Amino acid sequence: VLTMSHADAYTARMHWGQPQPETVRDYTIEGRIDGQWHMLEEVRDNYQRLRIHRLSEPPAIDALRITVHSTNGLDHARIAEIRVYE
């Protein structure tokens, strides 16, 4: 997924036709329910910068945990924002 920009220096660093190295590829989302962690989602081979996860039957979660297993090339992961809605 590419980012639109008017800055030539920024777009020159884009990897055209392939996932961007900084994008999180493999990750899991867990929710804490009654003190126990439960797997809610497991994602493999992601290439998108924005992901939306909708739980079909949302349980009463009191905490959320995301574990990044790999990126598409960068040696570290960065998650910029997480939003949770009822």
Side-chain angles (χ1 to χ4, degrees), residues 40-82:
L40 302 175
E41 295 280 337
E42 182 174 28
V43 177
R44 298 288 177 246
D45 300 321
N46 176 58
Y47 59 89
Q48 300 174 335
R49 290 177 186 262
L50 172 66
R51 289 297 305 260
I52 297 173
H53 297 279
R54 289 187 172 87
L55 301 176
S56 57
E57 196 81 29
I61 299 169
D62 63 3
L64 192 66
R65 176 167 65 189
I66 299 176
T67 304
V68 175
H69 302 285
S70 63
T71 66
N72 281 294
L74 209 59
D75 64 350
H76 61 280
R78 288 182 247 167
I79 297 175
E81 182 174 4
I82 298 171

